Amino acid sequence: MTTPDQPPQLLSPNSVLANALLRSIDMIRPKVVANRPKRIVFVVGTQINGAPHLGTNIVQTASFLLAKLARRAFSVDTTVRFAALDNAPYEVILDPETHRAYQTTYYHALGKAGVDELIETYYRALFKSLSEATDTEYELDTYTDQQATPAYRSEFLRSLEHFDALRWWLAPSTGTVHTRLPCPACGWAEKRAEQTRLVRVDGDGAIFTAVCYEHGEYEMCIDPIDGGYLDLATLYRNVIKERALVREVDVLYVMVKGGDWSFGCQLVDGALLALGTPPAAMPARIFTPMVLSGSGGKLSKSLLRAAPDSPAHSGVEDWMLSTPAWPGTVDNYVDALIWLVNGLIADPKHFYRSFTTSELGTLMAQRPADLATRERAREMPIYKRYFDLIAAGTKTIEVRVAYPSNKRLAAGQLLKFTCRGEECLTRIKRVSHYRTFEDMFDHESVSTVNPTATRAEQLANIRLIYPAEKEALGVVAIEVERV
């Protein structure tokens, strides 16, 4: 058996939320119990506006690890969905005559090819590495693609019918919601949408007028299938996105956001209720630890640029502000992140709180010395009686159902079985696929699966773990040898 890595040495205060949970993933258990989903999708969004900082990567890493934990805890297939927010402002200018601000998005400035290049440069390798390290698949879409879907546009049109009740939640100070409709001639839009007017909304869609600083007034038609580009302000965008996602039956969408979002989601929830969203359709959310500068404020590259000499920025290392500056490979960085975030998730007291950059730097310095050079191993939790048989070398075949993550297992891969703080490292010799457990035992000796049971006894044991609907997914027999 191998010795488990020492987790980061954390000291965290208790809190009302942490006191109510045994495990960090239990935050979504009420939704899982109520909805009985067949799949759980963890949704994480990131503005595509350059190199990410540590706070962004912690949210992303937590999404993959939460998906992995949910798969184990609830026996449900899980996925991460990465929403690349390519409607982030690329440039903002001031009209010299009216002093109104106008902006263009990354999508309108760079085009699809330019956005794809940004994703490829800063995120593709990171997400591939996170996916491999956690055995969790991911999907990627952009805001531009999202706003073009009939579900998103239909929910936007439906929101216009309740706009008077909605707008004060989305813009409590003014009631003016930033509904930007970029000029079809140049792609620029009035930043605060002060001159944008809803002319008509009916069964065919909505007609707006807006003003471009260069091309003057223009008209825009929005319908469920076609029409102009919808660049909605942050809160509005989240309301429409969450309304559109809950349409999918049998899928539970979990919004994973940085801790600073916990304040703003009070307004998002108010807007959802103003739209008549039933309680069962309210979204599930998990807020990850927020990364703070020395002043106690959220880590911010723009704030650092505005006041670079402030003592509040002490303890901020270069790689924390621009993670490509990490002194190592992407896989090495991901392994370090996974080690760190696994330690945070292990206890709700550690996960549902914030951390300064200085503290995170100290924690990262505790990571195992060989982390950068060791071969990755897929983790697989297992019951104690089977763990002991594998550790003794008498059980050489482990049986699982064919979840997508198990279908990816391959000969030569390291497989680390875990149980109650113990680990047993093995290497996969062979992976075989069968239609049913009966079919598997027609080809595999029961003594290699459980040397202490008969075929009938082991069939009964396996079916206590995996009911008929799980067996219907198919069966995977994994032959291993101790390392």
PDB file of all heavy atoms in Angstrom, residues 106-138:
ATOM      1  N   TYR A 106     -15.330  41.138 -27.095  1.00  0.00           N
ATOM      2  CA  TYR A 106     -14.235  40.364 -27.674  1.00  0.00           C
ATOM      3  C   TYR A 106     -14.697  39.663 -28.948  1.00  0.00           C
ATOM      4  O   TYR A 106     -13.945  39.577 -29.914  1.00  0.00           O
ATOM      5  CB  TYR A 106     -13.720  39.337 -26.652  1.00  0.00           C
ATOM      6  CG  TYR A 106     -12.576  39.877 -25.827  1.00  0.00           C
ATOM      7  CD1 TYR A 106     -12.801  40.805 -24.817  1.00  0.00           C
ATOM      8  CD2 TYR A 106     -11.266  39.491 -26.074  1.00  0.00           C
ATOM      9  CE1 TYR A 106     -11.769  41.322 -24.065  1.00  0.00           C
ATOM     10  CE2 TYR A 106     -10.213  40.007 -25.334  1.00  0.00           C
ATOM     11  CZ  TYR A 106     -10.463  40.913 -24.326  1.00  0.00           C
ATOM     12  OH  TYR A 106      -9.423  41.432 -23.596  1.00  0.00           O
ATOM     13  N   TYR A 107     -15.932  39.169 -28.935  1.00  0.00           N
ATOM     14  CA  TYR A 107     -16.430  38.479 -30.129  1.00  0.00           C
ATOM     15  C   TYR A 107     -16.493  39.424 -31.317  1.00  0.00           C
ATOM     16  O   TYR A 107     -16.066  39.086 -32.430  1.00  0.00           O
ATOM     17  CB  TYR A 107     -17.818  37.884 -29.858  1.00  0.00           C
ATOM     18  CG  TYR A 107     -18.469  37.358 -31.111  1.00  0.00           C
ATOM     19  CD1 TYR A 107     -18.053  36.164 -31.681  1.00  0.00           C
ATOM     20  CD2 TYR A 107     -19.488  38.085 -31.759  1.00  0.00           C
ATOM     21  CE1 TYR A 107     -18.629  35.689 -32.848  1.00  0.00           C
ATOM     22  CE2 TYR A 107     -20.066  37.608 -32.915  1.00  0.00           C
ATOM     23  CZ  TYR A 107     -19.644  36.412 -33.458  1.00  0.00           C
ATOM     24  OH  TYR A 107     -20.209  35.953 -34.611  1.00  0.00           O
ATOM     25  N   HIS A 108     -17.028  40.629 -31.122  1.00  0.00           N
ATOM     26  CA  HIS A 108     -17.165  41.562 -32.233  1.00  0.00           C
ATOM     27  C   HIS A 108     -15.818  42.133 -32.659  1.00  0.00           C
ATOM     28  O   HIS A 108     -15.629  42.478 -33.835  1.00  0.00           O
ATOM     29  CB  HIS A 108     -18.124  42.695 -31.852  1.00  0.00           C
ATOM     30  CG  HIS A 108     -19.548  42.260 -31.775  1.00  0.00           C
ATOM     31  ND1 HIS A 108     -20.125  41.822 -30.602  1.00  0.00           N
ATOM     32  CD2 HIS A 108     -20.514  42.159 -32.735  1.00  0.00           C
ATOM     33  CE1 HIS A 108     -21.377  41.486 -30.840  1.00  0.00           C
ATOM     34  NE2 HIS A 108     -21.641  41.677 -32.117  1.00  0.00           N
ATOM     35  N   ALA A 109     -14.880  42.236 -31.736  1.00  0.00           N
ATOM     36  CA  ALA A 109     -13.565  42.787 -32.082  1.00  0.00           C
ATOM     37  C   ALA A 109     -12.663  41.754 -32.754  1.00  0.00           C
ATOM     38  O   ALA A 109     -11.927  42.075 -33.693  1.00  0.00           O
ATOM     39  CB  ALA A 109     -12.887  43.328 -30.828  1.00  0.00           C
ATOM     40  N   LEU A 110     -12.720  40.497 -32.274  1.00  0.00           N
ATOM     41  CA  LEU A 110     -11.780  39.478 -32.738  1.00  0.00           C
ATOM     42  C   LEU A 110     -12.398  38.462 -33.684  1.00  0.00           C
ATOM     43  O   LEU A 110     -11.680  37.774 -34.409  1.00  0.00           O
ATOM     44  CB  LEU A 110     -11.171  38.737 -31.539  1.00  0.00           C
ATOM     45  CG  LEU A 110     -10.450  39.585 -30.489  1.00  0.00           C
ATOM     46  CD1 LEU A 110      -9.896  38.682 -29.404  1.00  0.00           C
ATOM     47  CD2 LEU A 110      -9.339  40.414 -31.121  1.00  0.00           C
ATOM     48  N   GLY A 111     -13.745  38.336 -33.637  1.00  0.00           N
ATOM     49  CA  GLY A 111     -14.395  37.305 -34.428  1.00  0.00           C
ATOM     50  C   GLY A 111     -14.267  35.933 -33.777  1.00  0.00           C
ATOM     51  O   GLY A 111     -13.540  35.758 -32.794  1.00  0.00           O
ATOM     52  N   LYS A 112     -14.953  34.963 -34.341  1.00  0.00           N
ATOM     53  CA  LYS A 112     -14.942  33.622 -33.760  1.00  0.00           C
ATOM     54  C   LYS A 112     -13.539  33.034 -33.734  1.00  0.00           C
ATOM     55  O   LYS A 112     -13.128  32.408 -32.749  1.00  0.00           O
ATOM     56  CB  LYS A 112     -15.874  32.703 -34.558  1.00  0.00           C
ATOM     57  CG  LYS A 112     -15.996  31.297 -33.972  1.00  0.00           C
ATOM     58  CD  LYS A 112     -16.930  30.433 -34.781  1.00  0.00           C
ATOM     59  CE  LYS A 112     -17.148  29.077 -34.111  1.00  0.00           C
ATOM     60  NZ  LYS A 112     -15.886  28.352 -33.863  1.00  0.00           N
ATOM     61  N   ALA A 113     -12.773  33.242 -34.795  1.00  0.00           N
ATOM     62  CA  ALA A 113     -11.424  32.676 -34.856  1.00  0.00           C
ATOM     63  C   ALA A 113     -10.542  33.262 -33.752  1.00  0.00           C
ATOM     64  O   ALA A 113      -9.750  32.547 -33.124  1.00  0.00           O
ATOM     65  CB  ALA A 113     -10.806  32.935 -36.225  1.00  0.00           C
ATOM     66  N   GLY A 114     -10.689  34.556 -33.496  1.00  0.00           N
ATOM     67  CA  GLY A 114      -9.887  35.192 -32.452  1.00  0.00           C
ATOM     68  C   GLY A 114     -10.261  34.704 -31.067  1.00  0.00           C
ATOM     69  O   GLY A 114      -9.387  34.502 -30.203  1.00  0.00           O
ATOM     70  N   VAL A 115     -11.559  34.507 -30.818  1.00  0.00           N
ATOM     71  CA  VAL A 115     -12.011  33.969 -29.532  1.00  0.00           C
ATOM     72  C   VAL A 115     -11.509  32.540 -29.360  1.00  0.00           C
ATOM     73  O   VAL A 115     -11.024  32.160 -28.287  1.00  0.00           O
ATOM     74  CB  VAL A 115     -13.547  34.032 -29.430  1.00  0.00           C
ATOM     75  CG1 VAL A 115     -14.045  33.251 -28.216  1.00  0.00           C
ATOM     76  CG2 VAL A 115     -14.017  35.488 -29.345  1.00  0.00           C
ATOM     77  N   ASP A 116     -11.614  31.740 -30.415  1.00  0.00           N
ATOM     78  CA  ASP A 116     -11.118  30.358 -30.349  1.00  0.00           C
ATOM     79  C   ASP A 116      -9.624  30.326 -30.019  1.00  0.00           C
ATOM     80  O   ASP A 116      -9.158  29.456 -29.272  1.00  0.00           O
ATOM     81  CB  ASP A 116     -11.368  29.637 -31.673  1.00  0.00           C
ATOM     82  CG  ASP A 116     -12.841  29.310 -31.900  1.00  0.00           C
ATOM     83  OD1 ASP A 116     -13.619  29.402 -30.918  1.00  0.00           O
ATOM     84  OD2 ASP A 116     -13.209  28.984 -33.044  1.00  0.00           O
ATOM     85  N   GLU A 117      -8.879  31.274 -30.558  1.00  0.00           N
ATOM     86  CA  GLU A 117      -7.438  31.334 -30.282  1.00  0.00           C
ATOM     87  C   GLU A 117      -7.177  31.659 -28.810  1.00  0.00           C
ATOM     88  O   GLU A 117      -6.273  31.089 -28.187  1.00  0.00           O
ATOM     89  CB  GLU A 117      -6.773  32.375 -31.187  1.00  0.00           C
ATOM     90  CG  GLU A 117      -5.261  32.418 -31.040  1.00  0.00           C
ATOM     91  CD  GLU A 117      -4.608  33.407 -31.993  1.00  0.00           C
ATOM     92  OE1 GLU A 117      -5.294  33.899 -32.906  1.00  0.00           O
ATOM     93  OE2 GLU A 117      -3.409  33.693 -31.807  1.00  0.00           O
ATOM     94  N   LEU A 118      -7.976  32.573 -28.231  1.00  0.00           N
ATOM     95  CA  LEU A 118      -7.829  32.880 -26.809  1.00  0.00           C
ATOM     96  C   LEU A 118      -8.115  31.647 -25.953  1.00  0.00           C
ATOM     97  O   LEU A 118      -7.395  31.357 -24.992  1.00  0.00           O
ATOM     98  CB  LEU A 118      -8.786  34.011 -26.421  1.00  0.00           C
ATOM     99  CG  LEU A 118      -8.339  35.445 -26.672  1.00  0.00           C
ATOM    100  CD1 LEU A 118      -9.471  36.405 -26.322  1.00  0.00           C
ATOM    101  CD2 LEU A 118      -7.101  35.786 -25.857  1.00  0.00           C
ATOM    102  N   ILE A 119      -9.192  30.937 -26.289  1.00  0.00           N
ATOM    103  CA  ILE A 119      -9.534  29.727 -25.541  1.00  0.00           C
ATOM    104  C   ILE A 119      -8.415  28.705 -25.659  1.00  0.00           C
ATOM    105  O   ILE A 119      -8.024  28.065 -24.676  1.00  0.00           O
ATOM    106  CB  ILE A 119     -10.866  29.145 -26.052  1.00  0.00           C
ATOM    107  CG1 ILE A 119     -12.027  30.106 -25.747  1.00  0.00           C
ATOM    108  CG2 ILE A 119     -11.137  27.777 -25.433  1.00  0.00           C
ATOM    109  CD1 ILE A 119     -13.338  29.718 -26.406  1.00  0.00           C
ATOM    110  N   GLU A 120      -7.893  28.556 -26.877  1.00  0.00           N
ATOM    111  CA  GLU A 120      -6.808  27.592 -27.110  1.00  0.00           C
ATOM    112  C   GLU A 120      -5.567  27.975 -26.315  1.00  0.00           C
ATOM    113  O   GLU A 120      -4.894  27.117 -25.721  1.00  0.00           O
ATOM    114  CB  GLU A 120      -6.484  27.548 -28.605  1.00  0.00           C
ATOM    115  CG  GLU A 120      -5.615  26.381 -29.028  1.00  0.00           C
ATOM    116  CD  GLU A 120      -6.351  25.063 -28.955  1.00  0.00           C
ATOM    117  OE1 GLU A 120      -7.592  25.034 -29.128  1.00  0.00           O
ATOM    118  OE2 GLU A 120      -5.677  24.031 -28.718  1.00  0.00           O
ATOM    119  N   THR A 121      -5.266  29.269 -26.251  1.00  0.00           N
ATOM    120  CA  THR A 121      -4.051  29.740 -25.587  1.00  0.00           C
ATOM    121  C   THR A 121      -4.110  29.581 -24.081  1.00  0.00           C
ATOM    122  O   THR A 121      -3.138  29.127 -23.455  1.00  0.00           O
ATOM    123  CB  THR A 121      -3.809  31.226 -25.936  1.00  0.00           C
ATOM    124  OG1 THR A 121      -3.665  31.356 -27.350  1.00  0.00           O
ATOM    125  CG2 THR A 121      -2.563  31.757 -25.243  1.00  0.00           C
ATOM    126  N   TYR A 122      -5.245  29.923 -23.477  1.00  0.00           N
ATOM    127  CA  TYR A 122      -5.297  30.015 -22.015  1.00  0.00           C
ATOM    128  C   TYR A 122      -6.090  28.905 -21.324  1.00  0.00           C
ATOM    129  O   TYR A 122      -5.947  28.730 -20.107  1.00  0.00           O
ATOM    130  CB  TYR A 122      -5.893  31.369 -21.606  1.00  0.00           C
ATOM    131  CG  TYR A 122      -5.026  32.546 -21.975  1.00  0.00           C
ATOM    132  CD1 TYR A 122      -5.476  33.515 -22.870  1.00  0.00           C
ATOM    133  CD2 TYR A 122      -3.747  32.672 -21.451  1.00  0.00           C
ATOM    134  CE1 TYR A 122      -4.672  34.595 -23.220  1.00  0.00           C
ATOM    135  CE2 TYR A 122      -2.944  33.750 -21.799  1.00  0.00           C
ATOM    136  CZ  TYR A 122      -3.411  34.708 -22.680  1.00  0.00           C
ATOM    137  OH  TYR A 122      -2.619  35.765 -23.019  1.00  0.00           O
ATOM    138  N   TYR A 123      -6.911  28.169 -22.056  1.00  0.00           N
ATOM    139  CA  TYR A 123      -7.817  27.241 -21.357  1.00  0.00           C
ATOM    140  C   TYR A 123      -7.819  25.805 -21.876  1.00  0.00           C
ATOM    141  O   TYR A 123      -8.088  24.894 -21.110  1.00  0.00           O
ATOM    142  CB  TYR A 123      -9.253  27.787 -21.404  1.00  0.00           C
ATOM    143  CG  TYR A 123      -9.399  29.067 -20.641  1.00  0.00           C
ATOM    144  CD1 TYR A 123      -9.447  30.291 -21.305  1.00  0.00           C
ATOM    145  CD2 TYR A 123      -9.454  29.069 -19.251  1.00  0.00           C
ATOM    146  CE1 TYR A 123      -9.557  31.477 -20.598  1.00  0.00           C
ATOM    147  CE2 TYR A 123      -9.568  30.245 -18.534  1.00  0.00           C
ATOM    148  CZ  TYR A 123      -9.618  31.449 -19.217  1.00  0.00           C
ATOM    149  OH  TYR A 123      -9.719  32.619 -18.512  1.00  0.00           O
ATOM    150  N   ARG A 124      -7.571  25.585 -23.150  1.00  0.00           N
ATOM    151  CA  ARG A 124      -7.750  24.244 -23.704  1.00  0.00           C
ATOM    152  C   ARG A 124      -6.848  23.221 -23.015  1.00  0.00           C
ATOM    153  O   ARG A 124      -7.306  22.162 -22.573  1.00  0.00           O
ATOM    154  CB  ARG A 124      -7.476  24.264 -25.203  1.00  0.00           C
ATOM    155  CG  ARG A 124      -7.741  22.925 -25.893  1.00  0.00           C
ATOM    156  CD  ARG A 124      -9.207  22.610 -25.991  1.00  0.00           C
ATOM    157  NE  ARG A 124      -9.867  23.468 -26.961  1.00  0.00           N
ATOM    158  CZ  ARG A 124     -11.141  23.358 -27.306  1.00  0.00           C
ATOM    159  NH1 ARG A 124     -11.907  22.437 -26.712  1.00  0.00           N
ATOM    160  NH2 ARG A 124     -11.694  24.175 -28.183  1.00  0.00           N
ATOM    161  N   ALA A 125      -5.562  23.530 -22.881  1.00  0.00           N
ATOM    162  CA  ALA A 125      -4.636  22.586 -22.239  1.00  0.00           C
ATOM    163  C   ALA A 125      -4.972  22.408 -20.767  1.00  0.00           C
ATOM    164  O   ALA A 125      -4.890  21.301 -20.224  1.00  0.00           O
ATOM    165  CB  ALA A 125      -3.195  23.071 -22.410  1.00  0.00           C
ATOM    166  N   LEU A 126      -5.379  23.491 -20.113  1.00  0.00           N
ATOM    167  CA  LEU A 126      -5.749  23.421 -18.699  1.00  0.00           C
ATOM    168  C   LEU A 126      -6.942  22.498 -18.499  1.00  0.00           C
ATOM    169  O   LEU A 126      -6.936  21.623 -17.627  1.00  0.00           O
ATOM    170  CB  LEU A 126      -6.072  24.819 -18.174  1.00  0.00           C
ATOM    171  CG  LEU A 126      -6.489  24.885 -16.706  1.00  0.00           C
ATOM    172  CD1 LEU A 126      -5.260  25.002 -15.818  1.00  0.00           C
ATOM    173  CD2 LEU A 126      -7.434  26.049 -16.448  1.00  0.00           C
ATOM    174  N   PHE A 127      -7.980  22.676 -19.333  1.00  0.00           N
ATOM    175  CA  PHE A 127      -9.177  21.864 -19.181  1.00  0.00           C
ATOM    176  C   PHE A 127      -8.928  20.412 -19.568  1.00  0.00           C
ATOM    177  O   PHE A 127      -9.467  19.493 -18.950  1.00  0.00           O
ATOM    178  CB  PHE A 127     -10.319  22.462 -20.016  1.00  0.00           C
ATOM    179  CG  PHE A 127     -11.100  23.493 -19.254  1.00  0.00           C
ATOM    180  CD1 PHE A 127     -10.476  24.567 -18.672  1.00  0.00           C
ATOM    181  CD2 PHE A 127     -12.464  23.373 -19.100  1.00  0.00           C
ATOM    182  CE1 PHE A 127     -11.191  25.514 -17.952  1.00  0.00           C
ATOM    183  CE2 PHE A 127     -13.191  24.310 -18.388  1.00  0.00           C
ATOM    184  CZ  PHE A 127     -12.558  25.387 -17.815  1.00  0.00           C
ATOM    185  N   LYS A 128      -8.117  20.182 -20.569  1.00  0.00           N
ATOM    186  CA  LYS A 128      -7.767  18.810 -20.949  1.00  0.00           C
ATOM    187  C   LYS A 128      -7.053  18.121 -19.793  1.00  0.00           C
ATOM    188  O   LYS A 128      -7.343  16.964 -19.465  1.00  0.00           O
ATOM    189  CB  LYS A 128      -6.891  18.826 -22.193  1.00  0.00           C
ATOM    190  CG  LYS A 128      -6.481  17.440 -22.694  1.00  0.00           C
ATOM    191  CD  LYS A 128      -5.704  17.558 -24.000  1.00  0.00           C
ATOM    192  CE  LYS A 128      -5.342  16.183 -24.555  1.00  0.00           C
ATOM    193  NZ  LYS A 128      -4.351  15.497 -23.713  1.00  0.00           N
ATOM    194  N   SER A 129      -6.138  18.834 -19.155  1.00  0.00           N
ATOM    195  CA  SER A 129      -5.405  18.265 -18.034  1.00  0.00           C
ATOM    196  C   SER A 129      -6.317  18.011 -16.840  1.00  0.00           C
ATOM    197  O   SER A 129      -6.236  16.964 -16.187  1.00  0.00           O
ATOM    198  CB  SER A 129      -4.254  19.196 -17.635  1.00  0.00           C
ATOM    199  OG  SER A 129      -3.456  18.618 -16.628  1.00  0.00           O
ATOM    200  N   LEU A 130      -7.209  18.959 -16.521  1.00  0.00           N
ATOM    201  CA  LEU A 130      -8.163  18.769 -15.431  1.00  0.00           C
ATOM    202  C   LEU A 130      -9.086  17.586 -15.716  1.00  0.00           C
ATOM    203  O   LEU A 130      -9.395  16.795 -14.815  1.00  0.00           O
ATOM    204  CB  LEU A 130      -8.995  20.035 -15.235  1.00  0.00           C
ATOM    205  CG  LEU A 130      -8.343  21.186 -14.484  1.00  0.00           C
ATOM    206  CD1 LEU A 130      -9.150  22.471 -14.647  1.00  0.00           C
ATOM    207  CD2 LEU A 130      -8.204  20.854 -13.002  1.00  0.00           C
ATOM    208  N   SER A 131      -9.507  17.459 -16.964  1.00  0.00           N
ATOM    209  CA  SER A 131     -10.392  16.364 -17.347  1.00  0.00           C
ATOM    210  C   SER A 131      -9.701  15.017 -17.148  1.00  0.00           C
ATOM    211  O   SER A 131     -10.281  14.074 -16.600  1.00  0.00           O
ATOM    212  CB  SER A 131     -10.828  16.546 -18.804  1.00  0.00           C
ATOM    213  OG  SER A 131     -11.620  15.470 -19.239  1.00  0.00           O
ATOM    214  N   GLU A 132      -8.448  14.919 -17.588  1.00  0.00           N
ATOM    215  CA  GLU A 132      -7.702  13.670 -17.444  1.00  0.00           C
ATOM    216  C   GLU A 132      -7.429  13.349 -15.980  1.00  0.00           C
ATOM    217  O   GLU A 132      -7.535  12.194 -15.553  1.00  0.00           O
ATOM    218  CB  GLU A 132      -6.389  13.766 -18.219  1.00  0.00           C
ATOM    219  CG  GLU A 132      -6.562  13.806 -19.729  1.00  0.00           C
ATOM    220  CD  GLU A 132      -5.256  14.061 -20.449  1.00  0.00           C
ATOM    221  OE1 GLU A 132      -4.246  14.375 -19.777  1.00  0.00           O
ATOM    222  OE2 GLU A 132      -5.241  13.970 -21.696  1.00  0.00           O
ATOM    223  N   ALA A 133      -7.093  14.368 -15.201  1.00  0.00           N
ATOM    224  CA  ALA A 133      -6.731  14.145 -13.800  1.00  0.00           C
ATOM    225  C   ALA A 133      -7.923  13.746 -12.939  1.00  0.00           C
ATOM    226  O   ALA A 133      -7.758  13.076 -11.916  1.00  0.00           O
ATOM    227  CB  ALA A 133      -6.071  15.395 -13.227  1.00  0.00           C
ATOM    228  N   THR A 134      -9.124  14.163 -13.332  1.00  0.00           N
ATOM    229  CA  THR A 134     -10.314  13.876 -12.516  1.00  0.00           C
ATOM    230  C   THR A 134     -11.255  12.878 -13.186  1.00  0.00           C
ATOM    231  O   THR A 134     -12.287  12.549 -12.624  1.00  0.00           O
ATOM    232  CB  THR A 134     -11.109  15.178 -12.255  1.00  0.00           C
ATOM    233  OG1 THR A 134     -11.528  15.744 -13.506  1.00  0.00           O
ATOM    234  CG2 THR A 134     -10.274  16.191 -11.498  1.00  0.00           C
ATOM    235  N   ASP A 135     -10.892  12.407 -14.373  1.00  0.00           N
ATOM    236  CA  ASP A 135     -11.751  11.500 -15.152  1.00  0.00           C
ATOM    237  C   ASP A 135     -13.146  12.076 -15.339  1.00  0.00           C
ATOM    238  O   ASP A 135     -14.148  11.380 -15.184  1.00  0.00           O
ATOM    239  CB  ASP A 135     -11.846  10.131 -14.474  1.00  0.00           C
ATOM    240  CG  ASP A 135     -10.898   9.131 -15.108  1.00  0.00           C
ATOM    241  OD1 ASP A 135     -10.786   9.137 -16.342  1.00  0.00           O
ATOM    242  OD2 ASP A 135     -10.271   8.368 -14.372  1.00  0.00           O
ATOM    243  N   THR A 136     -13.188  13.349 -15.647  1.00  0.00           N
ATOM    244  CA  THR A 136     -14.463  14.052 -15.827  1.00  0.00           C
ATOM    245  C   THR A 136     -14.484  14.718 -17.193  1.00  0.00           C
ATOM    246  O   THR A 136     -13.580  15.490 -17.516  1.00  0.00           O
ATOM    247  CB  THR A 136     -14.653  15.104 -14.724  1.00  0.00           C
ATOM    248  OG1 THR A 136     -14.639  14.466 -13.450  1.00  0.00           O
ATOM    249  CG2 THR A 136     -15.972  15.838 -14.896  1.00  0.00           C
ATOM    250  N   GLU A 137     -15.501  14.428 -17.974  1.00  0.00           N
ATOM    251  CA  GLU A 137     -15.611  15.047 -19.283  1.00  0.00           C
ATOM    252  C   GLU A 137     -16.060  16.497 -19.156  1.00  0.00           C
ATOM    253  O   GLU A 137     -16.682  16.882 -18.152  1.00  0.00           O
ATOM    254  CB  GLU A 137     -16.600  14.272 -20.155  1.00  0.00           C
ATOM    255  CG  GLU A 137     -16.133  12.861 -20.502  1.00  0.00           C
ATOM    256  CD  GLU A 137     -17.097  12.154 -21.424  1.00  0.00           C
ATOM    257  OE1 GLU A 137     -18.273  12.575 -21.503  1.00  0.00           O
ATOM    258  OE2 GLU A 137     -16.676  11.171 -22.067  1.00  0.00           O
ATOM    259  N   TYR A 138     -15.757  17.299 -20.170  1.00  0.00           N
ATOM    260  CA  TYR A 138     -16.218  18.687 -20.154  1.00  0.00           C
ATOM    261  C   TYR A 138     -16.737  19.077 -21.528  1.00  0.00           C
ATOM    262  O   TYR A 138     -16.382  18.499 -22.549  1.00  0.00           O
ATOM    263  CB  TYR A 138     -15.107  19.632 -19.694  1.00  0.00           C
ATOM    264  CG  TYR A 138     -14.038  19.936 -20.718  1.00  0.00           C
ATOM    265  CD1 TYR A 138     -14.127  21.070 -21.525  1.00  0.00           C
ATOM    266  CD2 TYR A 138     -12.933  19.103 -20.870  1.00  0.00           C
ATOM    267  CE1 TYR A 138     -13.147  21.361 -22.457  1.00  0.00           C
ATOM    268  CE2 TYR A 138     -11.954  19.386 -21.797  1.00  0.00           C
ATOM    269  CZ  TYR A 138     -12.059  20.513 -22.584  1.00  0.00           C
ATOM    270  OH  TYR A 138     -11.087  20.789 -23.515  1.00  0.00           O
TER     271      TYR A 138
END
